[in-house]
Amino acid sequence: MKKHIVVIEGDGIGPEVTRQAVRVLDAIAEYYGHEFTYQYCLMGADAIDKTGNPLPDETIAASLNSDAILFGAIGHPKFDNDPSAKVRPEQGLLKLRKSLQLFANIRPVTSYTSLQHLSPLKVDRLEGVDFIIFRELTGGIYFGKKTLSEDGQTASDDCVYTRDEIARISHLAFQYAQKRRKKLTLVDKANVLETSRLWRRVVQEISTEYKDVQVDYLFVDNAAMQLMINPKQFDVILTENMFGDIISDEASVLSGSLGMLPSASIGTGAALFEPIHGSYPQAAGKDIANPIGSILSAALLLEHFDLKKEATRIREAVSWTLENGFVTKDIDPTNFYFMSTIGELISDFVSGKIPGAINKENIELRKSTII
Ligand code: IPM
Ligand code: MG
């Protein structure tokens, strides 16, 4: 299969983790006889530094003409700490999501047995955790009208949703639930917000078309608590933009590290794949970040091309590294491997260079990067 992929490395650790994901995609292409071509484009603080624009027109044009986009991370402290900055890196990502109509952000959350002891949660709460968050991505408070009064004393962000915006992602989420454990939880704040009441009405109506799916409704404050005390209860979580942003970072604790979680943003055209983590500028250039969120995003990208075997092979490779203790610093701060070593191990596994029964000592000697 031939596919053209736009790669946006972005800011902070974005370039490093994305390089590991591309390395794994190359290993897949070679092993299975596919041809992936890459076109590198700018976005974020990197793009502001080089062009003055967080999302150059060429990036939009290339993305619209691609089969998929692999994206790293966005953001830089020099903008975070300057509330009066006229352009911000994040505007690039938001504009790209809007330009490509990427209305559904899909974030799977899995708990790996080999990492459970490292989670701040008790192991018995983590066993069997496997759910997926459908976060609406092109509406709500992120995209509503913003105002700041002339005297700088009053600000507002409108939260707006239309029935159609709610319906299109709800159908996707219900269809997904049908293929899984047939349970969908709508997370909202319908006791306070008008937009949430619209979400509830639309989801209630749509649910009649998916009678085999059991629907639950949870207020977001309660959902935030339930995610910690009983995460196993969830199968598909459907929610609006801002709530989805917040609870997906919270949910990442269940998997052991924010660095583990991938995401797919899909819409009407090319889809975008990115780890859910941010740009983690403190770690940039140090080869210590976790590349797995990005590598698993590449697996989602392959699945989107209907390359299921290939996606499964990446997931097997990831599980293999974790089970054998090959982890980055975020997971084990004292006995960790460098990011590039993990990327190399995963791509070696994909290429069949690592046999089923491994000799850990040989790998440690070969890599010689253990601290
Ligand atoms: C995410 C990020 C983005 C968001 C930022 C970088 C704009 O936190 O993808 O979760 O809030 O959507
Ligand atoms: Mg976020």
Side-chain angles (χ1 to χ4, degrees):
M1 184 181 274
K2 277 191 182 178
K3 290 289 176 192
H4 183 61
I5 300 167
V6 159
V7 180
I8 304 175
E9 294 184 333
D11 306 324
I13 57 167
E16 314 165 43
V17 295
T18 308
R19 260 169 238 150
Q20 301 309 319
V22 169
R23 172 188 228 174
V24 173
L25 282 175
D26 282 340
I28 287 283
E30 205 191 312
Y31 193 76
Y32 290 96
H34 300 304
E35 194 181 321
F36 301 144
T37 50
Y38 308 102
Q39 181 176 358
Y40 285 80
C41 292
L42 299 176
M43 185 166 80
D46 179 40
I48 297 176
D49 291 345
K50 290 177 181 150
T51 71
N53 181 352
L55 183 66
D57 290 346
E58 302 86 79
T59 302
I60 303 183
S63 300
L64 286 168
N65 285 321
S66 71
D67 293 311
I69 302 135
L70 182 67
F71 167 57
I74 204 157
H76 193 285
K78 72 181 173 200
F79 298 95
D80 298 344
N81 301 332
D82 176 10
S84 63
K86 288 272 172 302
V87 282
R88 318 187 68 79
E90 290 79 3
Q91 289 164 344
L93 179 59
L94 298 182
K95 187 167 168 200
L96 188 66
R97 287 173 178 170
K98 202 73 173 176
S99 311
L100 298 177
Q101 280 294 302
L102 301 171
F103 62 83
N105 183 231
I106 304 171
R107 300 185 163 184
V109 180
T110 327
S111 164
Y112 292 90
T113 312
S114 48
L115 300 185
Q116 284 170 356
H117 64 289
L118 297 167
S119 165
L121 290 181
K122 295 206 174 77
V123 170
D124 62 340
R125 300 203 177 161
L126 298 170
E127 201 58 62
V129 165
D130 174 23
F131 61 88
I132 189 152
I133 300 174
F134 273 70
R135 166 190 176 195
E136 202 289 329
L137 203 60
T138 50
I141 198 167
Y142 272 58
F143 291 95
K145 192 170 149 221
K146 299 179 190 307
T147 66
L148 178 64
S149 64
E150 261 173 37
D151 63 4
Q153 302 300 303
T154 310
S156 68
D157 295 279
D158 282 355
C159 182
V160 181
Y161 268 111
T162 65
R163 171 174 288 272
D164 287 350
E165 283 173 326
I166 300 169
R168 60 185 178 180
I169 186 170
S170 300
H171 280 293
L172 274 187
F174 271 104
Q175 284 155 16
Y176 226 88
Q178 281 184 319
K179 290 189 225 131
R180 295 176 47 101
R181 301 196 304 278
K182 301 187 173 49
K183 187 174 171 198
L184 182 144
T185 306
L186 175 68
V187 170
D188 64 23
K189 188 74 186 171
N191 51 346
V192 176
L193 301 177
E194 204 55 56
T195 42
S196 284
R197 287 192 276 273
L198 183 61
W199 271 85
R200 244 180 224 220
R201 266 204 300 282
V202 174
V203 168
Q204 275 165 2
E205 277 170 32
I206 288 178
S207 69
T208 60
E209 295 172 43
Y210 302 92
K211 293 215 162 59
D212 52 337
V213 178
Q214 180 207 329
V215 187
D216 269 1
Y217 302 91
L218 274 187
F219 296 141
V220 63
D221 45 354
N222 185 15
M225 183 178 71
Q226 296 293 332
L227 275 170
M228 295 295 107
I229 59 175
N230 182 14
K232 259 172 267 187
Q233 68 184 291
F234 297 111
D235 181 20
V236 171
I237 293 179
L238 169 64
T239 192
E240 61 99 69
N241 202 343
M242 173 93 132
F243 297 158
D245 180 45
I246 297 169
I247 64 166
S248 57
D249 268 28
E250 186 195 9
S252 73
V253 170
L254 303 167
S255 69
S257 166
L258 183 61
M260 298 285 301
L261 292 197
S263 84
S265 300
I266 63 169
T268 45
L272 180 144
F273 301 84
E274 58 169 315
I276 79 155
H277 61 69
S279 60
Y280 192 15
Q282 305 85 335
K286 295 189 181 153
D287 201 17
I288 55 168
N290 190 340
I292 290 180
S294 186
I295 290 170
L296 290 176
S297 298
L300 289 176
L301 179 150
L302 294 173
E303 218 159 51
H304 184 72
F305 293 157
D306 220 17
L307 299 176
K308 297 207 174 70
K309 276 197 313 291
E310 289 81 344
T312 303
R313 192 160 179 95
I314 294 184
R315 292 196 184 104
E316 281 166 4
V318 166
S319 301
W320 174 84
T321 54
L322 297 174
E323 277 155 23
N324 288 286
F326 300 117
V327 294
T328 39
K329 197 175 177 189
D330 52 317
I331 290 175
D332 190 340
T334 50
N335 188 17
F336 63 90
Y337 291 76
F338 285 113
M339 173 182 61
S340 50
T341 304
I342 302 297
E344 194 179 353
L345 284 170
I346 292 173
S347 58
D348 278 0
F349 186 99
V350 162
S351 309
K353 289 184 196 152
I354 296 174
I358 58 124
N359 182 336
K360 194 169 171 185
E361 266 166 41
N362 281 353
I363 287 176
E364 285 180 11
L365 280 177
R366 179 157 66 93
K367 305 297 170 185
S368 67
T369 50
I370 189 158
I371 304 265

